[in-house]
Amino acid sequence: MTVPQATAAAVTEPRIPQPPAAPPGAAALTPPPRDPADLEREAALARLFEVHYASMLRLAVLLGADDPENVVAEAYYQIYRKWRRLREPGAAEAYLRSTVCNLTRMRIRHLQVVRKHVEGPPSELVASAESTALLHDDQRALIDALQQLPARQREALVLRHWLGLKESEIAAAMGISCGSVKTHTARGIAALSQVMEARR
């Protein structure tokens, strides 16, 4: 018995339902246009990330952050949120650097408080592969000595000698006066010299 031709066509070629036609006068569903200021902010932040991420990560590592990647990510998030309040886009790098310093300082204080309240010795921190790659073997002794310094002395030395900033830039990053920068730098160098001499 043969199947009628129309029925065979319906079986072999199923009909694909078409979306219902929009009513006359209805606007097409398109996403609203994006704010040009948002596009400009995202492009500027992408450039900032590409140019300065490695140096900000190195800064967080040298300042003693136990989780430098998270510190730097948080710093980029904060500058993203406050981008429109920046007086000039050129100040973004200095703001980012200052934020990394502040976040690292806060993180170290938080860990010190937590460790005081933890029973038993704190578990040994495991450095991330990215952090470890930034520290070569010949720098480890110096980094160990640097980590023994008070936070302000360590920050002043890292900003001055690793990043090569001027006193005014260091003062802005640390939120202190230029005179205090000189004091912390001098004391830091003296303490660092003593620690390094004791290692020999």
Side-chain angles (χ1 to χ4, degrees), residues 71-90:
V71 166
V72 175
E74 176 66 20
Y76 273 99
Y77 173 69
Q78 287 194 19
I79 198 170
Y80 175 81
R81 286 177 47 235
K82 298 177 183 178
W83 186 263
R84 288 192 175 112
R85 285 184 262 166
L86 286 177
R87 292 185 183 144
E88 53 183 87

Side-chain angles (χ1 to χ4, degrees), residues 5-194:
Q5 192 171 1
T7 306
V11 169
T12 56
E13 295 179 20
R15 290 185 58 195
I16 299 173
Q18 298 296 320
L29 294 176
T30 57
R34 294 191 63 189
D35 184 354
D38 284 341
L39 295 173
E40 183 180 334
R41 170 177 67 169
E42 289 174 12
L45 281 167
R47 286 192 300 273
L48 194 68
F49 184 88
E50 185 178 335
V51 173
H52 297 294
Y53 177 78
S55 65
M56 293 301 150
L57 183 63
R58 187 174 294 111
L59 174 61
V61 169
L62 292 171
L63 292 179
D66 66 320
D67 55 351
E69 294 88 355
N70 287 336
V71 166
V72 175
E74 176 66 20
Y76 273 99
Y77 173 69
Q78 287 194 19
I79 198 170
Y80 175 81
R81 286 177 47 235
K82 298 177 183 178
W83 186 263
R84 288 192 175 112
R85 285 184 262 166
L86 286 177
R87 292 185 183 144
E88 53 183 87
E93 180 189 354
Y95 178 83
L96 187 62
R97 187 185 306 119
S98 177
T99 304
V100 168
C101 288
N102 290 335
L103 289 172
T104 302
R105 194 179 308 126
M106 287 167 35
R107 177 71 182 156
I108 290 171
R109 282 187 198 138
H110 170 74
L111 289 175
Q112 288 171 344
V113 170
V114 168
R115 287 174 184 153
K116 282 180 184 176
H117 294 89
V118 172
E119 293 182 3
S123 59
E124 191 172 324
L125 296 173
V126 178
S128 69
E130 195 168 359
S131 301
T132 304
L134 290 171
L135 302 176
H136 301 292
D137 289 335
D138 58 344
Q139 297 173 324
R140 292 201 189 282
L142 182 59
I143 298 302
D144 289 342
L146 189 66
Q147 297 305 323
Q148 295 176 32
L149 297 178
R152 291 295 195 177
Q153 292 177 19
R154 181 171 57 241
E155 288 175 28
L157 289 179
V158 168
L159 294 170
R160 176 69 185 96
H161 296 286
W162 270 271
L163 295 186
L165 300 183
K166 300 174 185 172
E167 281 181 4
S168 58
E169 294 172 319
I170 297 169
M174 294 178 65
I176 58 177
S177 68
C178 287
S180 295
V181 170
K182 290 179 182 176
T183 301
H184 288 307
T185 303
R187 289 179 180 168
I189 288 174
L192 194 61
S193 299
Q194 287 181 351

